[in-house]
Amino acid sequence: MAPGLSREDVAKVAALARLTLSDEELDTFTEQLSQVLEHAKDIAALDLEGVIATAHPFGLVNVVREDELCASLDRDEVLAMAPDAEEGRFAVPRIMGEAP
Amino acid sequence: MSSATQIARDVRAGTTSALAQLDTSLAAIRAENDALNVFLHVDEEGADAAARRVDELVAAGEDPGALAGVPVALKDNLCQRGVPTTAGSKILAGWRPPYSATVIERLLAAGAVPVGKTNMDEFAMGSSTETSAYGPTRNPRNPERVPGGSSGGSAAAVASGMTPLSLGSDTGGSIRQPAALCGIVGVKPTYGLVSRYGLIAFASSLDQIGPFANSVEDAALLLEVISGHDPMDSTSLPEPAPSLLAHLEDGVAGKRVGVVRELVEGADDDVLASVDAARAALEDAGATIVELSIPECRLGLSAYYLIAPAEASSNLARYDGVRYGLRVDAEDVAAMNEATRTAGFGAEVKRRIMLGTYALSAGYYDAYYGQALKVRTQMIEAFRRAYLNADVLLGATAPSVAFAFGEKMANPLTMYLSDVFTIPTNLAGDPAISVPFGSGAGGLPVGVQLLGPGRSEAQLFAAARVLEVANGVA
Amino acid sequence: MLPAGWEMVIGLEVHTELKTTTKMFCGCANAFGAEPNTNICPVCLGLPGSLPVLNVRAVDLAMAIGLALHSTIAPSTFHRKNYFYPDMPKDFQISQYDLPINKGGYLDLPDGSRVSIERAHLEEDTGKSTHLGGSGRLQGADHSLVDYNRSGVPLVEIVSGPDMHSAVQARAYAAALRGILIATGASDGRMEEGSMRMDANVSVRRVGEGLGTRCEIKNLNSLRSLQRAIDFEADRQVSLIEGGGVVRQETRHWDELRGETSTMRVKEEAEDYRYFREPDLVDLAPDAAWQARIAASLGAMPAERRAILLARLIEPSAAQLDALDVVVDLGFDELVLGAIDANVDPALALARAANELAASSERVGALAPGSFVETLLMEQAGELSATQAKAVLLEVLEHGESPRAVAAAKGYKQLSPDSLEAIVGELIEAFPEEWTRYQEGDEKLAQFFIGQVMQRTRGQANGKAVVAELRARR
């Protein structure tokens, strides 16, 4: 459990979330997030042994649909909104590294 | 502007046309939108087509639907096919969805006329509409004040008379709080009552779409149209839309109204005065008042500010510049993701994404997010227990009347406190309605909040109707 | 083979695409080889506002796999696995984490060993990227193109225990697993199309010691690559350790052409996936009735079917055992059993199924079992020679006519005993040397004479009858 949120923690989290922060932002966010987490400590400190997280407030289970075809989107319409497309596919700058 | 109920009646009867109603709405929008910044996009072409269709149906003697010809404003986190949908963010600037939300399909099927997309806090994160990337919306009751948020634009659309109805979304109070600050009716339905398909997600387990209106009857009319099971939303309740209008005049005689201490403590005096007056009005109408305490509510804010950002951090990961929206180019795709998100998201969104990412990350999950989910279970059970002793609960909606621009922006925590009375019901999944009742400092409107057990909208609306009548609305 | 004193430990993770008509969470077609981005919708493209709804057939097939692997079908939950990658439209994958649908289980291999199954769970597949510029491989590419047709295709991931100790065993496991996946109808097992993909976790240790550090070899797509890659990797690790080095925990890629594994990525820090329960889906708890339905629809698995057929063979040769495997693999065992029950010689039925039917395997689905039996009975009775019987079968498979009709059309008449006698007599005169050698005991020449008879009768003679005639005259 984190004693306090450090600048390094915030930098790591920003990287995980694909966000670049300036030094100033790093400072400001560290302070602000620390304050919010201060309040979250009330939650962290509770003894909730045996309490189970609720999945759906009204207990829905087994919601499924039949294995039946539905209309797909028109490719042109979809690619028209893409920032970059080539040969019917979405184009992206080079990918550094395989998928995890 | 006439009520939605009246407009629909007149259009169906042929005494007015959908086009004429649309003209009125567009004129009102043209007159005030520059000053108030309510609409981010007015879809004149689409609205015109919808209005014409309704008029054609009427001319052909066919049923044009329950909302025939009624202009409706839509919060800009609702996907509408071919219409710019931004969620108040730069990262979706110019994006036109290739599909429409289920609620919009239902609106159209009922003959409603969607006129445009309204301003909101970016990705619904905020309580004042000040985090919008497109400038704040001004409160029609006092343009120096915020309209509340995150559905500030939709609330202002109705409060200013631009449209008789609008749709917003409520995750921690984002319909009810702006309704209170703008002096109109706003409803957060039972979780799952209204389909979320097509609602740009903020916090999936908390988000609900709901109506804004000038009257309880109009709100009921709109909710009946949009609610009911949707096979496109796995979390949607299995039953069809509830019958609300038929129960509007049921009254509250013999009902127990619980005034919840934790849903009024800390509110300003003018707000407390309204809650007192509302309590008296309900008692006069035959309800029994009980004093209740739900101490679990005090943990609501902390639990919410762990659960909502956690889900949001995941829901907003898709905005990566690959398939739609903003892209800021870079040498490799990860750098492109980063540059795009850094440029495209505002400070509040970044703050919550980081908070959420942290709460979910290895080593902290159990202490923060995991615990918050358990607190939520306790909240649900606490409300269920409360409803053993009361049929309906009463409290304040917001701690104060509409505040000034910038007043709560310096420290995020100050803004988060605006949601202290509304958050518990989102966590519980239960419905709640804010009804205008009395006015406070500077003549600004005050809203009081009625809460009910899951799926009890009919009873809730009946109680709200009692308050409305007591407040002088026919 | 590893040097003495060393042991390899192998666990396999196999991903199989499920043979459903539509994707896991939407109604787009689950089809291989379509034009890029033609089977996409808001859901599998992860557009803002989209929501997943679970495909019941994917659940059925996942349960079938679980039952076939002797797993326990348990109440399960879906989780989000969060990470950024361009082939993931939501930048999270919906999968199952700590509560998978199938827990435990085992798979018995032909060599008698048992491999434990830890779990088999449901998840969605990602899109596919092609890399341009450079060699077409990921390294050195200058940009990539993404196709989301595969995004959202249902997958089951089957995780074995670290129970295998040789590449041969791992290969046998993979082959047996594939047979089961095909037999349950869950998968088409087409590794070359990517519908079944294997990752191998390989570590080595000196016998008696604890587990060594393991490396993961990803995306092996043939049984041969699997076996070669594991052997290479185990050798590599042993050499490394014996040379004083330390095995790094990492992900490696198998290069089929160069026959070696190489580093993809060093796992310095395990990726933080921030798993949390998918709030857009509800829990899955298949009741006893549902499970019973799946169990009832499940036929015998390959191992059992093999045993049943084996029991009907009399002292099978190695070639017949191979034929048995072919027949079971192709699912012709029922046909063969039916023929044996109708008094066809087991060896004959097996041979015709493993050769003639296998050659036209796509057509066997439409073959009337009665036609198969009839043809073989005719051959067995001497009414058709082997050559003729094969031709009739081929024709029946092609055109679905009755065997007798085909035989008549082809003019297959049995050679009369007199004609046969006469022909054999002619041949004895024509080939005196060969006849002398045969008389002296050179059995091989029987084949020579049979060949000659066949030539002269255009295949109409019955081989056995020829042999009988030769022997009679010897």
Side-chain angles (χ1 to χ4, degrees), chain A residues 12-19 53-57 59-79 81 84-100, chain C residues 20-29 35-42 45 47 53-57 83-86 130-132 138 141-148 264-265 271-274 277 282-285:
Chain A
K12 248 201 299 193
V13 154
L16 263 181
R18 296 273 207 265
L19 293 170
T54 307
H56 187 285
L60 295 187
V61 287
N62 293 342
V63 175
V64 293
R65 61 173 180 87
E66 292 305 313
D67 187 22
E68 281 160 7
L69 280 169
C70 298
S72 287
L73 286 174
D74 175 61
R75 176 167 80 183
D76 292 334
E77 198 181 343
V78 169
L79 289 177
M81 68 180 175
D84 193 8
E86 205 181 298
E87 293 174 25
R89 282 173 260 233
F90 295 84
V92 293
R94 65 171 187 251
I95 305 171
M96 312 285 288
E98 308 261 354
Chain C
T20 53
T21 304
T22 62
K23 295 186 178 183
M24 181 79 123
F25 297 118
C26 67
C28 287
E35 277 296 298
N37 291 307
T38 49
N39 290 330
I40 54 173
C41 76
L45 205 54
L47 293 187
V53 184
L54 187 56
N55 181 340
V56 71
R57 181 115 182 96
Y83 64 97
F84 285 88
Y85 206 76
T130 27
H131 311 296
L132 300 186
L138 182 58
D142 81 357
H143 65 288
S144 297
L145 302 180
V146 192
D147 169 18
Y148 294 103
M264 266 168 63
R265 170 174 86 241
E271 187 88 35
D272 184 359
Y273 296 118
R274 285 155 282 134
R277 205 197 133 262
V282 299
D283 290 347
L284 195 54

Side-chain angles (χ1 to χ4, degrees), chain B residues 39-325:
Chain B
F39 283 88
L40 297 179
H41 181 84
V42 179
D43 179 27
E44 289 199 36
E45 209 179 294
D48 188 79
R52 279 177 199 283
R53 246 189 328 271
V54 170
D55 288 338
E56 277 161 25
L57 285 171
V58 172
E62 292 173 44
D63 180 9
L67 286 174
V70 181
V72 181
L74 304 169
K75 186 174 182 180
D76 206 20
N77 57 0
L78 290 166
C79 289
Q80 186 178 3
R81 177 141 190 217
V83 178
T85 301
T86 69
S89 179
K90 274 192 289 200
I91 216 165
L92 283 177
W95 183 59
R96 290 172 190 258
Y99 79 108
S100 287
T102 298
V103 291
I104 295 182
E105 305 281 19
R106 291 184 181 182
L107 282 179
L108 289 169
V113 179
V115 294
K117 313 303 279 327
T118 59
N119 199 16
M120 53 181 284
D121 281 302
E122 188 180 3
F123 283 105
M125 300 181 189
S127 309
S128 64
T129 312
E130 289 173 283
T131 71
S132 168
Y134 302 97
T137 294
R138 298 181 173 280
N139 190 324
R141 299 290 295 263
N142 180 338
E144 301 311 305
R145 301 280 168 139
V146 303
S150 61
S151 315
S154 281
V158 169
S160 65
M162 291 179 187
T163 57
L165 296 176
S166 68
L167 285 182
S169 69
D170 190 311
T171 305
S174 292
I175 289 177
R176 293 161 285 160
Q177 184 253 23
L181 268 50
C182 291
I184 58 175
V185 175
V187 184
K188 185 204 85 71
T190 304
Y191 183 79
L193 190 74
V194 179
S195 167
R196 290 183 295 117
Y197 185 72
L199 171 68
I200 297 180
F202 160 20
S204 317
S205 72
L206 300 163
D207 293 343
Q208 270 294 279
I209 299 170
F212 284 105
N214 282 305
S215 69
V216 176
E217 179 180 38
D218 276 2
L221 178 62
L222 180 47
L223 189 54
E224 276 188 4
V225 166
I226 60 173
S227 52
H229 179 68
D230 182 14
M232 299 297 284
D233 177 353
S234 298
T235 61
S236 103
L237 297 175
E239 60 261 29
S243 169
L244 302 171
L245 291 168
H247 295 278
L248 220 44
E249 308 298 335
D250 280 2
V252 294
K255 299 278 184 178
R256 299 160 300 167
V257 173
V259 181
V260 181
R261 171 193 310 171
E262 289 79 9
L263 297 183
V264 291
E265 70 189 357
D268 286 355
D269 289 340
D270 47 4
V271 171
L272 289 175
S274 281
V275 177
D276 271 337
R279 159 217 194 107
L282 289 165
E283 206 164 13
D284 284 346
T288 320
I289 306 295
V290 283
E291 305 285 338
L292 290 179
S293 169
I294 308 180
E296 287 80 358
C297 286
R298 293 209 184 95
L299 293 168
L301 214 56
S302 301
Y304 175 84
Y305 279 100
L306 288 170
I307 295 174
E311 292 181 9
S313 69
S314 177
N315 284 329
L316 269 62
R318 70 194 67 200
Y319 303 105
D320 58 10
V322 174
R323 293 159 293 281
Y324 43 82

Side-chain angles (χ1 to χ4, degrees), chain C residues 71-404:
Chain C
S71 310
T72 306
I73 297 178
S76 66
T77 257
F78 288 91
H79 272 70
R80 292 190 185 180
K81 181 180 183 184
N82 298 280
Y83 64 97
F84 285 88
Y85 206 76
D87 66 5
M88 293 227 301
K90 301 185 291 291
D91 289 305
F92 62 83
Q93 180 196 31
I94 301 178
S95 177
Q96 295 192 301
Y97 183 53
D98 56 350
L99 292 171
I101 184 168
N102 296 311
K103 287 195 309 198
Y106 60 87
L107 180 49
D108 288 329
L109 302 185
D111 72 354
S113 64
R114 172 172 289 192
V115 176
S116 68
I117 304 286
E118 283 181 5
R119 51 187 281 148
H121 69 258
L122 282 161
E123 62 184 30
E124 57 175 347
D125 209 344
T126 64
K128 256 200 290 213
S129 22
T130 27
H131 311 296
L132 300 186
S135 65
R137 281 280 322 279
L138 182 58
Q139 273 88 345
D142 81 357
H143 65 288
S144 297
L145 302 180
V146 192
D147 169 18
Y148 294 103
N149 279 349
R150 199 184 67 181
S151 157
V153 162
L155 294 176
V156 165
E157 178 180 344
I158 302 147
V159 181
S160 82
D163 295 349
M164 291 166 275
H165 298 290
S166 74
V168 167
Q169 187 186 21
R171 179 180 178 151
Y173 166 84
L177 184 59
R178 180 174 171 274
I180 285 179
L181 293 175
I182 294 172
T184 52
S187 172
D188 61 19
R190 294 207 184 116
M191 293 186 198
E192 67 289 359
E193 282 180 9
S195 56
M196 183 176 155
R197 320 196 279 258
M198 302 172 290
D199 299 337
N201 287 299
V202 182
S203 68
V204 295
R205 62 181 172 192
R206 289 196 173 83
V207 176
E209 286 184 356
L211 286 173
T213 304
R214 64 165 195 230
C215 292
E216 186 182 19
I217 311 170
K218 280 195 87 77
N219 285 329
L220 296 157
N221 54 18
S222 75
L223 295 175
R224 183 167 175 270
S225 312
L226 177 72
Q227 186 174 342
R228 292 178 70 212
I230 291 173
D231 273 328
F232 175 89
E233 179 59 21
D235 281 332
R236 181 192 78 86
Q237 291 187 15
V238 168
S239 299
L240 183 58
I241 296 171
E242 286 190 328
V246 159
V247 175
R248 268 188 324 197
Q249 185 180 13
E250 59 188 6
T251 304
R252 296 178 73 85
H253 168 83
W254 168 250
D255 187 325
E256 184 65 40
L257 288 172
R258 291 160 68 174
E260 58 187 35
T261 63
S262 56
T263 309
M264 266 168 63
R265 170 174 86 241
V266 179
K267 284 187 176 184
E268 280 160 358
E269 245 180 67
E271 187 88 35
D272 184 359
Y273 296 118
R274 285 155 282 134
Y275 285 100
F276 70 100
R277 205 197 133 262
E278 170 58 82
D280 289 330
L281 290 173
V282 299
D283 290 347
L284 195 54
D287 61 10
W290 190 353
Q291 294 186 38
R293 262 201 322 276
I294 303 298
S297 72
L298 215 53
M301 287 299 107
E304 201 186 322
R305 285 159 41 209
R306 190 181 182 280
I308 291 171
L309 192 43
L310 182 62
R312 307 297 291 272
L313 301 177
I314 305 152
E315 286 177 23
S317 64
Q320 283 178 326
L321 290 175
D322 282 344
L324 174 59
D325 284 340
V326 170
V327 162
V328 171
D329 203 45
L330 290 170
F332 298 162
D333 44 304
E334 297 247 324
L335 267 174
V336 173
L337 281 171
I340 296 175
D341 285 341
N343 292 319
V344 175
D345 172 59
L348 179 62
L350 190 63
R352 290 287 165 266
N355 298 305
E356 280 62 57
L357 294 190
S360 306
S361 62
E362 343 71 64
R363 299 198 155 278
V364 173
L367 176 68
S371 297
F372 184 62
V373 170
E374 201 181 320
T375 311
L376 297 188
L377 286 174
M378 282 169 74
E379 183 181 344
Q380 200 157 275
E383 289 169 43
L384 292 174
S385 68
T387 316
Q388 288 170 336
K390 293 176 191 181
V392 167
L393 263 181
L394 191 63
E395 190 78 19
V396 168
L397 281 169
E398 270 313 293
H399 301 121
E401 291 155 15
S402 91
R404 289 209 177 272

